[in-house]
Amino acid sequence: MVRLLRQPTLRAATQATVFQRLFALMAMVVMVSLVLFWPNIRDHAGQALAQTQDNSYQPFNCGQSNSSSGQARRENLPLNNDSGGTANGHAYPCISGVQWRLVVGNTQASLADTNGIIGEIQGAYSTQWANGDGTCASATFCFAGTGAVNGLVQVSIKGLGFCSGANAPAFNVGNYSCRKAASGIQLYANSTSSQSYQPAKSYQLNITPSGPFNLGGSGMQTDIFATPSSEIQTSLSAIPAGALGCPVVGTTKGQGCTITLSSFSGSLAQTLAGGGDFPLSALNLTFYYLITHTGSTTNPYNPTEISGNSVTLPNTRISVGNGS
Amino acid sequence: MSGMRHGTRWGRATVPLVVGFGLVVAMAAATVNNVLGFEASVKIINSSSDTSMNGMSISTQRLQAVDAGFGMAPVQQSDGTWKNVLRAGFANATATGLCVSKTESLPVVGTYTIKLVAPASAGTITASNGVFDITDIVGNSDGTGINLKGSTQIGLATPDITTIFKDGQGLPYAPNPFGASTGDSPLDVWTSGVEAGSAPSPWVVDSKPHTFGGGWTGIDAGAADLSRISARLWQIQLTGNITLPGLKISVTQGASKCADWPSGPPYTNTTKYDGTNLFP
């Protein structure tokens, strides 16, 4: 202010003119300040609290059975991407302990030929989950209140899609394309599988698409924390060295190769898929937790991450039945 | 003095003045909206409407919700018994067409149906903080069906699902917005096989049993887009505002349920899932 008044042009001006100019200057300051500090509470909070286990995003008290305070049972899960790298994101779920099943086809059946291709996995990377550097012990997957499981495999994929018919959807997996519609897709959670608490009156939550559904989409990544005994069946020809290579990683089933997730971990998935996609003829997946995210460094809880399709269930019935 | 211009150059100053003043006014309005959560709306179903009803049906052409969730939960019915339901809710939603029907049978009066219909042609329905207890929901094939968007989590304990903000205006989220059981339901059973009424002492905290939602699983999504859905409904809880343009309430003799979705203009869906592109 003093320096402004000492400038020759201002010194010659009347007092009123100086105030007029200052008024104009103040208006500009107000405008700039407002642009800079425009209230955007939601975005601001999302940026400030990214990558943290925070009561703002996970406000429920996920405690232990003998304590009503703390977040002792909340997991700390580093998220990955399908190319074998970290997605730099974390999720902090309070896990129900109820197993979810995704069953399509029969992984133990012999695949007659490539006409059995009913879907694809886009990109894949899996690892023996050994983190858990949060409040739960290393490699321990804690459940709400009580109970835990060890030895889960973290499978990170770009997408999982099922066919609606021969050559439709029009995608190619290596030398393969859809050969028939995926039918009888079962996605359900049965409370009797819970290693945590179990409701006295058991239930089964059924999500039943009458046609193909897909998991993931453009710009999305999916992390699945599944049991090591979960199985996928792919075409024998999709395995490097074919019939010779399958016994190394799985079990030959006719023209198919059934692989458990325990042998799928590490970079094997990348090797099998040649760094890309591979066809799917059957799936038998048991998982405790699944999350879709953008694979970015932003917090997956950030409300800006709502644009991408993550789970598409066309013509689907969701029903509640008895679990027993 | 010569060659020297004095006074305010109003032509130059007008722009920042007007813009600055406008921003001040706009910021005040934004502050009211963001901080106070003020929203002008007609409350047709007022706050805390909690109607326990069996055998209800609900349908809509399309429901688009932000901060949505689905979680298993035990609920007590009007006869005192407990039932497992899928509790679905959202922070904010818009809908095209809505029908809710409830059939009752009374002595002398007989069977009758109360039906609330907001036709699709009447305009967009808006609602906030809605919770629905359902046991059966179908998303039809000629729409997008049930489409979850953004970061979706499957396997959470139901009380860990987040929808609304605690104070209605921004983070933090409200804990356990569905009011799901954390151990105080007779349907909660401890791993030792003991039911909630006689929970073993290590699990009783502050005179209340605590299971932290273990055994009740759910899905949390950034957003949900449900088209042409119909559902069997057991309870509605609308704590926020709802606008139902063109609402008509009717009472008719006999049993009647909502059509699969309310009549109105044809559903226009630009993102119809036709099976030609798995990863659009």
Side-chain angles (χ1 to χ4, degrees):
Chain A
M1 177 81 69
V2 174
R3 292 181 62 184
L4 285 174
L5 290 171
R6 285 176 181 169
Q7 291 175 7
T9 54
L10 291 180
R11 206 181 304 130
T14 63
Q15 190 76 7
T17 304
V18 170
F19 280 117
Q20 283 177 332
R21 290 195 168 191
L22 285 175
F23 184 65
L25 184 64
M26 290 292 289
M28 295 182 70
V29 170
V30 168
M31 183 183 72
V32 172
S33 300
L34 288 173
V35 169
L36 292 175
F37 301 110
W38 184 262
N40 195 334
I41 296 168
R42 192 164 167 155
D43 287 349
H44 173 73
Q47 290 161 8
L49 299 172
Q51 301 308 316
T52 61
Q53 194 286 305
D54 191 280
N55 287 341
S56 293
Y57 289 102
Q58 304 96 24
F60 175 64
N61 174 16
C62 188
Q64 286 184 287
S65 50
N66 59 352
S67 172
S68 63
S69 62
Q71 297 279 15
R73 309 298 292 183
R74 189 174 292 285
E75 275 291 354
N76 179 350
L77 307 178
L79 304 178
N80 290 334
N81 60 41
D82 66 290
S83 59
T86 174
N88 294 319
H90 285 241
Y92 304 91
C94 185
I95 308 291
S96 68
V98 179
Q99 289 182 344
W100 282 75
R101 302 288 315 282
L102 174 58
V103 181
V104 189
N106 183 358
T107 54
Q108 290 301 310
S110 178
L111 183 65
D113 51 42
T114 54
N115 287 332
I117 301 303
I118 56 165
E120 69 161 340
I121 292 178
Q122 282 201 338
Y125 180 79
S126 66
T127 181
Q128 191 77 32
W129 187 73
N131 291 307
D133 54 350
T135 52
C136 296
S138 178
T140 300
F141 210 77
C142 292
F143 303 136
T146 188
V149 66
N150 289 325
L152 295 187
V153 175
Q154 179 177 357
V155 182
S156 307
I157 61 175
K158 188 180 298 178
L160 168 65
F162 294 100
C163 306
S164 59
N167 298 311
F171 68 83
N172 292 309
V173 185
N175 295 323
Y176 305 97
S177 60
C178 279
R179 296 305 175 92
K180 67 176 183 180
S183 60
I185 300 171
Q186 303 174 65
L187 175 61
Y188 62 91
N190 191 310
S191 64
T192 60
S193 67
S194 175
Q195 296 182 25
S196 178
Y197 302 105
Q198 288 192 4
K201 187 176 182 180
S202 62
Y203 65 82
Q204 180 162 308
L205 175 61
N206 303 292
I207 300 177
T208 314
S210 66
F213 82 98
N214 69 308
L215 185 64
S218 178
M220 300 300 293
Q221 296 276 337
T222 300
D223 277 276
I224 307 170
F225 294 82
T227 60
S229 59
S230 295
E231 293 177 328
I232 61 171
Q233 188 184 77
T234 185
S235 170
L236 195 61
S237 301
I239 304 294
L244 293 176
C246 181
V248 179
V249 296
T251 305
T252 303
K253 300 288 182 183
Q255 291 301 309
C257 184
T258 298
I259 307 168
T260 61
L261 290 189
S262 58
S263 62
F264 194 65
S265 58
S267 60
L268 180 59
Q270 280 282 294
T271 303
L272 290 177
D277 313 327
F278 61 93
L280 196 65
S281 53
L283 187 65
N284 188 351
L285 195 64
T286 301
F287 64 93
Y288 286 96
Y289 180 66
L290 179 154
I291 180 171
T292 63
H293 55 94
T294 61
S296 68
T297 58
T298 60
N299 192 327
Y301 303 105
N302 193 308
T304 60
E305 292 202 1
I306 62 171
S307 56
N309 291 325
S310 51
V311 182
T312 303
L313 297 158
N315 196 18
T316 296
R317 176 182 294 273
I318 301 177
S319 61
V320 177
N322 293 326
S324 55
Chain B
M1 295 285 289
S2 62
M4 187 178 294
R5 188 184 189 281
H6 299 291
T8 301
R9 297 190 179 187
W10 290 105
R12 296 181 185 179
T14 300
V15 174
L17 275 174
V18 171
V19 173
F21 183 73
L23 285 171
V24 169
V25 174
M27 184 178 73
T31 302
V32 168
N33 279 321
N34 285 340
V35 178
L36 303 181
F38 175 80
E39 181 183 10
S41 65
V42 179
K43 295 184 181 180
I44 295 176
I45 296 177
N46 212 330
S47 63
S48 301
S49 69
D50 184 342
T51 312
S52 295
M53 296 180 277
N54 293 338
M56 291 172 63
S57 70
I58 186 171
S59 62
T60 180
Q61 280 205 24
R62 189 172 195 179
L63 176 72
Q64 294 175 290
V66 177
D67 280 328
F70 305 84
M72 290 300 304
V75 295
Q76 190 170 24
Q77 301 178 100
S78 55
D79 62 0
T81 61
W82 289 74
K83 183 178 185 63
N84 292 327
V85 298
L86 179 65
R87 184 159 285 187
F90 54 78
N92 295 288
T94 60
T96 304
L98 182 72
C99 175
V100 179
S101 73
K102 165 65 176 166
T103 298
E104 285 282 3
S105 294
L106 292 175
V108 182
V109 177
T111 301
Y112 65 95
T113 300
I114 303 174
K115 194 174 286 185
L116 290 76
V117 177
S121 57
T124 301
I125 299 163
T126 61
S128 60
N129 194 10
V131 177
F132 304 82
D133 288 346
I134 54 182
T135 51
D136 196 37
I137 180 171
V138 176
N140 202 277
S141 61
D142 51 2
T144 56
I146 298 170
N147 191 7
L148 306 181
K149 292 174 174 288
S151 184
T152 296
Q153 302 175 77
I154 300 177
L156 293 177
T158 300
D160 203 38
I161 294 170
T162 54
T163 56
I164 58 172
F165 295 126
K166 185 176 182 181
D167 52 11
Q169 65 196 18
L171 292 170
Y173 283 110
N176 194 7
F178 289 175
S181 175
T182 59
D184 51 358
S185 156
L187 293 192
D188 280 302
V189 171
W190 276 255
T191 46
S192 60
V194 181
E195 293 189 12
S198 54
S201 58
W203 287 271
V204 178
V205 181
D206 300 333
S207 302
K208 293 180 180 179
H210 279 273
T211 60
F212 301 94
W216 302 101
T217 193
I219 301 171
D220 199 358
D225 188 352
L226 299 87
S227 66
R228 294 198 163 180
I229 58 169
S230 55
R232 187 178 187 193
L233 184 68
W234 296 83
Q235 182 172 232
I236 301 174
Q237 295 179 38
L238 281 166
T239 311
N241 298 332
I242 183 170
T243 57
L244 290 164
L247 177 68
K248 292 181 180 177
I249 302 174
S250 64
V251 180
T252 56
Q253 198 74 31
S256 173
K257 70 169 200 172
C258 292
D260 285 344
W261 48 84
S263 60
Y267 177 83
T268 54
N269 175 24
T270 56
T271 58
K272 180 178 176 180
Y273 183 90
D274 57 6
T276 58
N277 190 354
L278 280 180
F279 303 99

